Amino acid sequence: MIEVVDSLEAVMTKYSLVTAFAVIGLTVWISYFLSARLTFGRLHGSAIAILIGLVMAYIGGVVTDGTKGIADIEVLAGIGLMGGAMFRDIAIVATAFGVRLEEFLETGLSGVLSLFSGVLVSFAVGGMVAFAFGYRDAVSITTIGGGAATYIVGPVTGTALSASDEVMALSVAAGLVKSILVMTMTPVVAPWIGLDNPRSALIFGGLMGTTSGVAAGLAATDPKLVPYGAMTATFYTGLGCLVGPSIVFLVVRALV
Amino acid sequence: MAIYGTALLSVCLLVGLITGKLLGMAIGVDANVGGVGIAMLVLILACDRLHRSGRMQPPTESGIVFWSSIYIPIVVAMAASQNVRGAITGGPVAIAAGVLAVIVCFAMVPMISRIGRRDVPDGEP
């Protein structure tokens, strides 16, 4: 019996990406089944699938003490590859197939506006929270503010300003909280914020900025909106890393 | 052949990522600036040209469409490999910063949608 389990494990580990396709396929199937039978389509199947994914990630984190969610369990390591930047980016780019260029360009100005306001507002909100919790030095305030932008902007800003490890870890956690909330809450708030057309999706992507959050949040709301949100979101982290250690830091230092 | 579509998609992504990387270097940032966005624009332009000249065959298209159709499963895998435990155990500062940033940014979506829409009169659906 043990030999059977061992050989099963050996095959699943060796063909980890294939295992991932099977596991994720099963997850999606269960999610769409639950969506149709339990919620009568009110909660979209993809939203349930993403929620199950996050729960799996939490379990993986608790079981292994790692940082890659369920992918830290050896036989499921392929999920990390399947959900990693390489596959994610090629799939996001593919969603742009069939989109008309005019639809992107029409929103040009508000897209740029949403990017700048999204980055600056996140820095401001994160910085204020840091201040409220007793952080008084400009480096920590800016780094935690960067985390409220995305979990990449935080540590990049922190490294540039030589923030402490503890503050860097906080900024990554803040970015993760944001990304997970955007994934799960977007379909819920979409009707209230008018997120039902390419224009508002572009603005949404620029304001939120977390590529993974926007990618999953829009997929669960309306997959047709994905390319628009993803388009602006992809400029967000770069912009955040640009203004964080420079303009934002100088402003924060002048204020505290 | 389907591989032509997938190859086109891959070339677009690589072109975008390299451009984004160079853009980041040019402005002195250690991040990819808009690589995926640029790749999307390149793909849209390339497909548009191929369509116009009639060189885009249905099998070629299928090599691109496949990737966009497994987008949601990929996102599910992405969700499953997030550091959710790290987010939850990040403490009150991290949670407050993340939650408030999301609430404020959600609220700003309708605001900015209104600002940019100058050509449409108010009250128009």
Side-chain angles (χ1 to χ4, degrees), chain A residues 44-65:
Chain A
H44 202 282
S46 47
I48 298 177
I50 289 162
L51 278 177
I52 297 180
L54 290 171
V55 171
M56 280 160 57
Y58 179 74
I59 296 169
V62 171
V63 171
T64 64
D65 242 8

Side-chain angles (χ1 to χ4, degrees), chain A residues 201-216:
Chain A
L202 253 159
I203 292 167
F204 173 81
L207 278 170
M208 295 301 159
T210 141
T211 312
S212 38
V214 168

Side-chain angles (χ1 to χ4, degrees), chain A residues 153-234:
Chain A
V153 176
V156 167
T157 303
T159 309
L161 301 174
S162 16
S164 71
D165 286 346
E166 174 230 339
V167 166
M168 299 253 263
L170 269 181
S171 80
V172 173
L176 287 171
V177 170
K178 180 178 181 184
S179 149
I180 290 163
L181 274 178
V182 175
M183 283 185 201
T184 50
M185 294 312 289
T186 302
V188 180
V189 299
W192 296 344
I193 59 173
L195 188 57
D196 57 5
N197 58 76
R199 219 189 103 78
S200 56
L202 253 159
I203 292 167
F204 173 81
L207 278 170
M208 295 301 159
T210 141
T211 312
S212 38
V214 168
L218 287 179
T221 308
D222 180 356
K224 279 198 289 296
L225 300 178
V226 167
Y228 304 98
M231 167 65 92
T232 35
T234 136

Side-chain angles (χ1 to χ4, degrees), chain A residues 110 113 199, chain B residues 108-119:
Chain A
S110 26
L113 181 67
R199 219 189 103 78
Chain B
M108 283 176 66
V109 174
M111 276 164 59
I112 295 188
S113 295
R114 233 170 279 140
I115 292 171
R117 212 181 296 160
R118 271 165 302 181
D119 47 340

Side-chain angles (χ1 to χ4, degrees), chain A residues 111-165:
Chain A
V112 174
L113 181 67
S114 70
L115 264 173
F116 277 90
S117 22
V119 169
L120 295 178
V121 164
S122 299
F123 265 109
V125 171
M128 281 191 267
V129 169
F131 190 83
F133 276 89
Y135 290 89
R136 288 294 180 270
D137 61 297
V139 171
S140 301
I141 292 175
T142 312
T143 305
I144 295 173
T150 71
Y151 55 75
I152 298 171
V153 176
V156 167
T157 303
T159 309
L161 301 174
S162 16
S164 71
D165 286 346

